[in-house]
Amino acid sequence: MRHVIALDVGGTGMKAALVGAHGTLLHEARRPTGRERGPDAVVESILAFAADLRAYGEEHFGESAVAAGVAVPGIVDAENGIAAYAANLGWRDVPMRRLLSERLRGVPVALGHDVRTGGLAEGRIGAGKGADRFLFIPLGTGIAGAIGIDGRVEPGAHGFAGEIGHIVVRPGGTACPCGQRGCLERLASASAVTLAWAGASGDPEADAADCAKAVESGDPRALAVWQNAVDALADGLVTALTLLDPRVLIIGGGLAEAGETLFVPLRAAVEERVTFQKLPEIVPAALGDTAGCLGAGLLAWDLVAGAAAPTTAPDSDSSEVTA
């Protein structure tokens, strides 16, 4: 049975799947990255995982994978297949595509940025399915974004497109590791809400999920922390809407798990701020933590489609993957 290998590499764990030609998830697996052993060990863990997936496919489905897709964090040179930098994994300039292809005995490999790859899946087969223009924004430890255009995700000229977390929404505000002050992710990410609520509540163990629960119970301190984050997020989103004019705005990540506790005030705050801009549909992400792996599968099948028809662009619906 024809299939591809899909790998999503995170800061602490890896999610993987073998994906059939019509989107069937044939096999799923997870492993730790082992980052405590250093960057070289992390790379070897990825290569070994991929090789084991190849062997599983050969044993259980009678043939080798026809391609592989891998999503990694940090700075990614997808065009040249280089994992350029990842602070949480400690690597620099890893020729990931070449290394994986060699370990997989020459199969073609696609490399993608984790957020953009997750956005690809959300746009094609998740919450943005059918939308010609979408913006995917996960609110996690930080805030990033994926700009979707006609079934593809725009990487930008240098691979930095979508970094909405570093839009300055509060000039002169909290210092950000990027070197600016008042960046969106310092105010509206899950980690920013966790920090603010721990301070406001006096409980150093409290996190963003606890803040959301306190909001639901009417705690005025939590309401203030939550509204500050929502207001900052709305300011950043309206800047993005002004520049990109998406049809659908998809919000994911840990903070989105608060559901309508987040979406009701966020939709209202964005609507209050728009003037001439068209208000997009604002929806929660649909694929959860499987988005990156599913997107890696889509990247792999795109390679197969491109090899089959090299003179034409692959059809964005030619290899739909379903969760």
Side-chain angles (χ1 to χ4, degrees):
M1 182 182 296
R2 291 184 92 215
H3 62 274
V4 298
I5 294 168
L7 273 166
D8 177 24
V9 179
T12 58
M14 298 182 284
K15 295 177 282 291
L18 298 181
V19 182
H22 298 291
T24 307
L25 288 173
L26 304 173
H27 172 66
E28 295 179 80
R30 299 191 181 215
R31 287 185 186 177
T33 58
R35 66 176 179 177
E36 68 280 357
R37 294 182 290 122
D40 291 341
V42 171
V43 173
E44 178 55 35
S45 294
I46 295 168
L47 301 180
F49 200 5
D52 288 347
L53 290 163
R54 176 191 171 95
Y56 185 97
E58 291 173 340
E59 180 180 353
H60 291 83
F61 305 117
E63 61 180 292
S64 298
V66 294
V70 58
V72 298
I75 299 171
V76 180
D77 179 354
E79 183 177 353
N80 293 304
I82 305 294
Y85 175 69
N88 58 354
L89 294 175
W91 65 37
R92 286 184 181 271
D93 298 324
V94 177
M96 188 66 71
R97 184 171 63 199
R98 177 179 63 79
L99 293 174
L100 270 172
S101 185
E102 289 173 353
R103 185 65 65 95
L104 296 173
R105 304 175 196 166
V107 303
V109 174
L111 179 68
H113 179 272
D114 56 352
V115 172
R116 287 195 289 271
T117 303
L120 177 69
E122 283 288 353
R124 282 199 202 171
I125 61 176
K129 184 177 180 180
D132 58 343
R133 299 288 190 277
F134 70 87
L135 182 60
F136 169 59
I137 300 175
L139 309 174
T141 303
I143 299 178
I147 302 164
I149 304 172
D150 292 331
R152 301 286 181 225
V153 171
E154 170 58 46
H158 307 96
F160 298 128
E163 290 292 347
I164 188 174
H166 297 290
I167 289 177
V168 174
V169 293
R170 298 290 182 269
T174 304
C176 180
C178 79
Q180 302 183 115
R181 302 187 73 89
C183 287
L184 178 60
E185 72 173 39
R186 303 301 293 166
L187 296 140
S189 62
S191 58
V193 173
T194 290
L195 184 63
W197 178 234
S201 67
D203 179 1
E205 301 300 317
D207 61 15
D210 296 323
C211 185
K213 291 174 185 175
V215 168
E216 292 161 8
S217 68
D219 187 313
R221 299 168 302 168
L223 288 166
V225 167
W226 200 254
Q227 194 60 51
N228 283 340
V230 167
D231 286 342
L233 182 56
D235 288 341
L237 293 180
V238 170
T239 297
L241 302 183
T242 305
L243 292 172
L244 301 172
D245 188 26
R247 199 171 305 278
V248 179
L249 181 56
I250 306 165
I251 306 294
L255 211 59
E257 293 176 7
E260 292 304 284
T261 300
L262 173 67
F263 284 92
V264 168
L266 179 60
R267 290 181 184 118
V270 172
E271 187 170 4
E272 287 173 2
R273 287 162 170 76
V274 297
T275 53
F276 66 89
Q277 304 93 337
K278 290 291 186 181
L279 191 66
E281 186 179 6
I282 302 176
V283 300
L287 302 177
D289 72 350
T290 65
C293 191
L294 290 168
L298 289 171
L299 291 177
W301 278 116
D302 282 353
L303 278 183
V304 176
T311 60
T312 59
D315 180 5
S316 64
D317 293 323
S318 63
S319 54
E320 182 174 293
V321 178
T322 55

